[in-house]
């Protein structure tokens, strides 16, 4: 009997914001992932990287500014670095938990590039904030380079970058091979390293791909049975933050589309999760998507928790 296959998209809460927090968070996250592996699931992990890539971007640029002969690091390079060190912690944390349970299964991190469309409208309306707060003078310097900045009243200025849609996963064959060999894989970290095709070359883009959309694309490409998006809330909720808020345990694809069209889901947080889920389900048979918290992940598989879309 073929094993069930799941793509789990880990949000910020599963990783923390700095090195000590990340190690502690991964130890808890590893226990949840190990539960799935112990029950026979094939698992692919996608993780967020917003705090980490911002930290790397700031550190590299500050270093380049203060030392002659060193250049600043482009966003694509910072994204690659974040995939490496987050994957390193995930590999070790999950391996330790599996060995503790007597399970010996290889875990690999695939440095993953994801192509984006050069003409994606997102490049004209950047929305993802990265890096530290800047002064007005520093913000003016960034704008002079052609970068976008946004002011947060009372805090300062931050650079903002585009969030284009993922088109294709460059290393998809390697990821499939690992899963087909019943190995665990960490891939498309932070949404993948955004690249654009230029002839025979792949050129890094100054952007951050939405992790949830990349997770949906990966789940679709590896023909997963389940796409699970792990976030900070137990359920998808209508009228969130109001006295009329209503948790949802189950939605059809049609209902999810209607709620999205009605503006029920916040543009930068819940809407990408719904969009990724719907696209994944509509492009295969017998699939379902689950949106829930890490603590409810296992119970959500049997419909006892979380929000299931199918």
């Amino acid at each position: 009997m073929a094993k069930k296959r799941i793509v789990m998209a880990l949000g910020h809460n599963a990783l923390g914001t700095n090195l000590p927090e990340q190690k502690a968070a991964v130890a808890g996250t590893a226990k949840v992932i190990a539960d799935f592996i112990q029950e026979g699931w094939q698992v692919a992990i996608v993780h967020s990287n917003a705090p980490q890539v911002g930290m790397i971007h700031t550190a590299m640029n500050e270093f380049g500014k203060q030392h002659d002969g060193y250049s600043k690091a482009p966003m694509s390079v910072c994204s690659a670095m974040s995939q490496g060190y987050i994957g390193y912690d995930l590999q070790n944390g999950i391996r330790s938990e599996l060995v503790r349970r007597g399970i010996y299964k290889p875990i690999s991190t695939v440095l993953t590039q994801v192509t984006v469309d050069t003409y994606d409208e997102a490049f004209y309306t950047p929305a993802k904030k990265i890096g530290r707060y800047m002064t007005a003078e520093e913000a003016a310097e960034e704008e002079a380079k052609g970068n976008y900045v946004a002011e947060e009243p009372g805090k300062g200025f931050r650079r903002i970058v585009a969030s284009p849609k993922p088109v294709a996963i460059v290393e998809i064959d390697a990821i499939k091979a690992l899963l087909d060999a019943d190995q665990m894989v960490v891939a498309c970290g932070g949404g993948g390293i955004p690249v654009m095709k230029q002839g025979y070359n792949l050129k890094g883009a100054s952007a951050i791909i939405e992790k949830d959309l990349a997770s949906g694309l990966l789940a679709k490409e590896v023909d997963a049975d389940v796409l699970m998006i792990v976030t900070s809330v137990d359920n998808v909720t209508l009228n969130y933050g109001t006295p009329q808020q209503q948790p949802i345990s189950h939605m059809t694809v049609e209902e999810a589309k209607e709620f999205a069209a009605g503006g029920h889901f916040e543009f930068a947080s819940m809407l990408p999760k719904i969009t990724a889920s719907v696209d994944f389900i509509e492009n295969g048979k017998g699939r379902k998507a689950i949106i829930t918290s890490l603590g409810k992940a296992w119970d959500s598989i049997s419909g006892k928790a979380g929000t299931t879309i199918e």
Side-chain angles (χ1 to χ4, degrees):
M1 181 177 177
K3 288 194 172 186
K4 290 281 189 178
R5 182 172 290 183
I6 185 170
V7 170
M8 298 180 69
L10 303 178
H12 164 69
N13 284 12
L15 296 173
T17 58
N18 55 42
L19 292 173
E21 281 186 16
Q22 183 170 300
K23 279 215 175 287
V26 164
T29 299
K31 289 179 169 48
V32 176
I33 295 169
D35 287 342
F36 282 86
I37 294 173
Q38 190 166 12
E39 292 300 318
W41 286 79
Q42 291 181 334
V43 181
I45 296 294
V46 179
H47 59 77
S48 67
N49 73 342
Q52 290 86 352
V53 77
M55 178 180 66
I56 292 169
H57 183 260
T58 299
M60 296 296 291
N61 286 356
E62 292 296 322
F63 186 85
K65 187 188 296 183
Q66 296 175 24
H67 296 81
D68 292 337
Y70 290 91
S71 62
K72 297 180 179 180
M75 281 303 304
S76 55
V77 172
C78 295
S79 179
M81 290 180 176
S82 74
Q83 284 191 10
Y85 96 79
I86 295 172
Y88 161 70
D89 272 351
L90 283 170
Q91 282 182 212
N92 283 342
I94 297 166
R95 177 189 177 278
S96 295
E97 183 60 31
L98 290 177
V99 171
R100 192 175 292 116
R101 301 183 188 199
I103 301 170
Y104 301 91
K105 182 181 288 291
I107 307 168
S108 303
T109 296
V110 177
L111 200 64
T112 315
Q113 302 173 95
V114 175
T115 59
V116 297
D117 185 350
T118 306
Y119 303 103
D120 192 309
E121 291 184 2
F123 285 111
Y124 305 100
T125 55
K128 290 277 188 181
K129 298 174 183 177
I130 61 162
R132 65 170 176 83
Y133 288 101
M134 299 178 288
T135 65
E137 292 75 18
E138 290 172 324
E141 289 179 14
E142 286 295 321
E143 288 184 316
K145 300 172 193 172
N147 296 326
Y148 291 89
V149 297
E151 183 177 7
E152 294 185 36
K155 295 183 178 180
F157 299 80
R158 293 181 74 185
R159 185 178 169 190
I160 53 174
V161 298
S163 183
K165 294 178 182 178
V167 174
I169 299 168
V170 178
E171 289 78 19
I172 190 62
D173 288 340
I175 296 167
K176 285 180 178 178
L178 288 166
L179 286 172
D180 288 345
D182 199 26
Q183 298 186 24
M184 189 187 156
V185 61
V186 180
C188 295
I193 304 164
V195 294
M196 298 178 289
K197 289 184 178 180
Q198 294 189 349
Y200 294 108
N201 300 318
L202 294 174
K203 178 178 174 57
S206 183
I208 296 175
I209 298 171
E210 173 56 59
K211 172 261 305 176
D212 296 319
L213 298 182
S215 301
L217 177 60
L218 176 62
K220 185 167 59 175
E221 290 295 319
V222 301
D223 194 22
D225 299 284
V226 176
L227 167 64
M228 178 178 286
I229 300 178
V230 177
T231 185
S232 59
V233 294
D234 294 343
N235 296 80
V236 176
T237 303
L238 299 182
N239 305 309
Y240 183 73
T242 72
Q244 292 77 38
Q245 71 176 27
Q246 175 188 351
I248 303 173
S249 60
H250 185 273
M251 282 190 288
T252 64
V253 166
E254 290 70 27
E255 288 171 334
K257 288 180 177 179
E258 288 176 11
F259 291 143
H264 283 279
F265 307 126
E266 203 276 325
F267 175 77
S269 58
M270 188 55 71
L271 184 59
K273 296 170 175 53
I274 299 296
T275 301
S277 298
V278 169
D279 183 61
F280 165 67
I281 295 166
E282 288 188 326
N283 281 278
K285 294 182 179 179
R287 297 174 172 179
K288 67 179 178 180
I290 297 169
I291 301 173
T292 192
S293 63
L294 187 66
K296 301 291 185 180
W298 182 248
D299 285 342
S300 69
I301 283 290
S302 57
K304 296 177 183 177
T307 299
T308 299
I309 307 172
E310 57 187 347

